Amino acid sequence: MPKLLINGQPCEFKEGTTVAAAILNAGITHFRTSAAGQPRGPICGMGICYECRVTIDEVPHLRACMFLCADGMIVKADG
Amino acid sequence: MSPDGIIIGGGIVGCACAYYLAQEGITTTIIEPGAIGGGATAAGMGHVVVMDDSEAQFALTRYSQDLWDAVYPSLPAACEVRKTGTLWVAADEEEYSHVALKSAFYAERGVPTESLDEQNLAEAEPNLSEGLRGALLVPNDSVIYPMAAARWLLDQALQSGSTLRQGEAATRIDGQTVSLRSGESIQAQFVINAAGGHAPALTAGCPIEPRKGHLIITDRHPGFVNRQIIELGYLKSAHGMSTESVAFNVQPRATGQLLIGSSRQFVGWNPEIDRNLVAKMVARALEYMPTLDNLSAIRTWVGYRAATASKLPIIEQWQDGTYVAAGHEGLGITTCMATGRLIADMITGKPSAIDRSAFGAAQGAHA
Amino acid sequence: MSVDQQTKCDVLVVGAGHAGLAAALAAAKQGARVTVVDDNPAPGGQISRAKLGKPERSIQDVANQLVNFGVEIRLGDTVVDLPAQGQAITAKSCIVYRSLILATGSRELFLPFPGCSLPGVMGAGGLQALVKSGLEIAKKQIVVAGSGPLLLPVAHFLAQCGAQVHGPYEQIGYKRLSRFALTVALKGQVGELIKYSRTFPKYKPKTWVAQARGTTKLHSVELSNGKVIDCDYLASSYGLVPNNELARLLGCELRGAFVQVDEFQRTSVANVFCVGEPTGIGGYEKGRAEGAIAGKVAAGSKADLRPLVKSVTSHQLFATGMERTFEIRAEVLALAQDDTIVCRCEDVTYGRLKQQPTLRDAKLQTRCGMGPCQGRVCGPAMQMCFGWPLDTVRPPIVPVALSRLGACASQQPDVTEI
């Protein structure tokens, strides 16, 4: 089964899973930290709220719900 | 209790006038149809910068910067005061020779600067493109969040007994009487026209034209840029009177967002985003800083600078008795403090720390 | 940085949900060259979002037909600007078109309440979308709450996926909820009622979430009746709002938040059509019917549209009825406390906002609505809580790389009035 790294942890995923779903499946709920330092996670699931932003393969501010998991992908969430 | 004076315009210039008059024990009524600092103030970059285009401009910007520096410790966190300094970037040898001239000009007048060569510049700002000849750093320049600063200046005046009439618009000035759109008229001992680009509608013959500019703001990337970075060509753009120009100008905000400009065009009060001009502005920015394209632009907006042919603001008592404090072009945030102080000096009959005559029509400063 | 690719088409359809695909097919059948743009990795929009990348059968059927007609469906791309008539700038390309069909769908209405910004609190459709995208929820405790017809299918779906579902907790009362059930039945959707027959009795009317509790994430929910439920997720939304940004950018006339259209789905702007949720929240059948009309007309034919127009009229009536039925009660609009976050992008609290006299003052003093979501989350909430009107829309209508602003500036489109 394909795997991606989430905060250093290898996580298996089914094809068609988004990064946001994979992060939540890994038990991580803190995707990004707000301007005032609060932990935040996805709310809309459709790419409009920008709360699910994480770093994917060194590119920051990407909406995890709009990216499909890929084998070998490196994801960093704040949590 | 009727106020001593009326200030038309709740932008940062009007608010600074109210602030300094309040310090003199003089109350005012500020009339503002929209949001406080909602006009050119909201479209400004919040850059507090000394400029050397002319002696008069230097005197005004430096004096005003000193006044800002004195008040900074009192400003709340929302004003986001930061001493970013300004980096004037020279692309080539010719521009670098201007760096030397600027450096000398400022040195003679006691403004600290530092010249950076190609390598120093690359180290200071790694995201700048390679091959730029160097830059002049002016470390005492600063950046603020203008709308919060305008609000603070206003609040100080309000606490001293001045009043705000928000949502109302002035339609006419007749001596010491101001007519409002609602039909009401108010009277006071003096009237200040601080209506920016709208000043000519109230004071006939006031030589101000709106000069539209575009701004872009990005998402948050703290540390991407350390200083406010401006290409030396900015000076040609600002001080020329061509119909359309762009010049690279990028500012790091306290939020970590980058504010990107700049453009100038005389197209009246046209609120549309001019995509062609924005494309040129972006292309210019990417020439100086190609990695900006890794960031996302989250908003664009326009503003209208109040421009005069003389490139100096009008800070004087007009023939009809009105005090005009308008026409600050791209330097309103910088020079509002000096403007407010000079206006207060005029009204109280005090001498000013700098020569006021340069900002009046009598000296032929305004064509 | 991507190289500008220029595409020419007769009809550009924005959105590959039911409405957009129906429009594309109708136009293609008339011989038009059609391009569809959608930001998701698979077609289907929100209601029929693909499960683990596999589109729903009805969507796949239409998509296959579209391929046969040579329609180009561009997935993972999004329109960022419509700089001039006949021109579109997307995140990846420049498109020149004769007619534009906006099928941009809707998004959830999020109202502020204590704890609403805790991780684990999501939209109802939002949680459903994440589950369809691979989130595992078997045995998880999930509270479904808020308002609107969406809560029912979401609760049903989540239960089918093995979650322990509490609710749906609906803020409208028994009378209105019964009216909703009756309308659905009268609409001939007894099939829907039967499908949801197990979930329908679980409705708890006149109940809402008073507070979401937790420190770094959600651990429980307190309801308006005092009951506390431990849970992993709260799936909550108060209805749907139309994605009308492109329509507003073009200056299309609105009625309220919806785009005003005539019987041929034409907006007030020449060569621009609007279909689906942005003309009224009426579900996929409305979207399909409207799409079929707009696609045909955009491609140049007005023949045989009467039955479709009739069906749209009845769907529109249903949509208006639902809007009235699911009115948000005053107690829900007053849930926010001073420290409740309203603007999530900039962390602006209710307490700071309520001091501001106008939306513009609020934006300038607090930055609310000026983050990357561009006011999509907080805007409708501020409208409902403070009565502040919608702001003007400027490009880019979604955050995009700098070089896309003003891209394609030198295009010269060939535009014909229809």
Side-chain angles (χ1 to χ4, degrees), chain A residues 3-78:
Chain A
K3 276 197 271 259
L4 79 165
L5 276 176
I6 301 176
N7 289 356
Q9 295 271 47
C11 303
E12 288 185 339
F13 64 88
K14 295 182 191 149
E15 290 293 346
T17 301
T18 60
V19 174
I23 292 171
L24 289 167
N25 285 340
I28 296 169
T29 51
H30 180 176
F31 281 58
R32 75 172 194 101
T33 308
S34 76
Q38 298 176 357
R40 292 285 174 78
I43 59 165
C44 78
M46 58 184 277
I48 58 109
C49 75
Y50 284 78
E51 291 283 59
C52 65
R53 284 173 284 163
V54 294
T55 300
I56 301 177
D57 293 338
E58 317 232 309
V59 182
H61 292 302
L62 296 180
R63 292 166 292 167
C65 69
M66 301 299 279
F67 284 82
L68 292 175
C69 294
D71 199 27
M73 200 181 236
I74 300 173
V75 172
K76 296 204 187 100
D78 278 0

Side-chain angles (χ1 to χ4, degrees), chain C residues 212-227:
Chain C
R213 295 180 177 177
T215 44
T216 56
K217 67 175 186 182
L218 176 73
H219 63 57
S220 62
V221 145
E222 184 189 330
L223 299 175
S224 51
N225 57 18
K227 186 170 174 197

Side-chain angles (χ1 to χ4, degrees), chain C residues 149-164:
Chain C
L150 184 59
L151 298 187
L152 186 60
V154 166
H156 176 80
F157 171 81
L158 296 174
Q160 296 246 293
C161 291
Q164 183 64 41

Side-chain angles (χ1 to χ4, degrees), chain B residues 65-113:
Chain B
Q65 188 176 79
D66 289 345
L67 292 172
W68 270 122
D69 283 341
V71 101
Y72 278 162
S74 311
L75 295 184
C79 295
E80 295 174 359
V81 174
R82 290 163 73 238
K83 286 272 176 178
T84 55
T86 306
L87 258 183
W88 294 96
V89 172
D92 54 31
E93 207 57 56
E94 200 225 325
E95 289 191 349
Y96 198 59
S97 64
H98 287 290
V99 165
L101 294 172
K102 276 175 96 71
S103 172
F105 181 93
Y106 288 133
E108 279 163 36
R109 290 157 185 77
V111 175
T113 65

Side-chain angles (χ1 to χ4, degrees), chain C residues 39-115:
Chain C
D39 57 356
N40 291 294
Q46 306 310 323
I47 287 172
S48 297
R49 180 176 285 273
K51 258 189 223 171
L52 285 180
K54 233 184 134 210
E56 246 178 57
R57 233 255 301 268
S58 60
I59 295 289
Q60 191 60 60
D61 285 346
V62 182
N64 292 340
Q65 290 182 69
L66 289 174
V67 166
N68 290 339
F69 276 102
V71 172
E72 198 194 351
I73 307 179
R74 294 207 182 158
L75 301 166
D77 197 4
T78 182
V79 174
V80 303
D81 190 13
L82 298 167
Q85 192 176 23
Q87 295 177 34
I89 305 176
T90 77
K92 299 176 180 167
S93 64
C94 306
I95 302 176
V96 162
Y97 58 86
R98 291 171 190 270
S99 302
L100 177 67
I101 303 181
L102 300 174
T104 46
S106 61
R107 62 184 187 272
E108 293 182 278
L109 172 64
F110 296 107
L111 293 176
F113 57 89

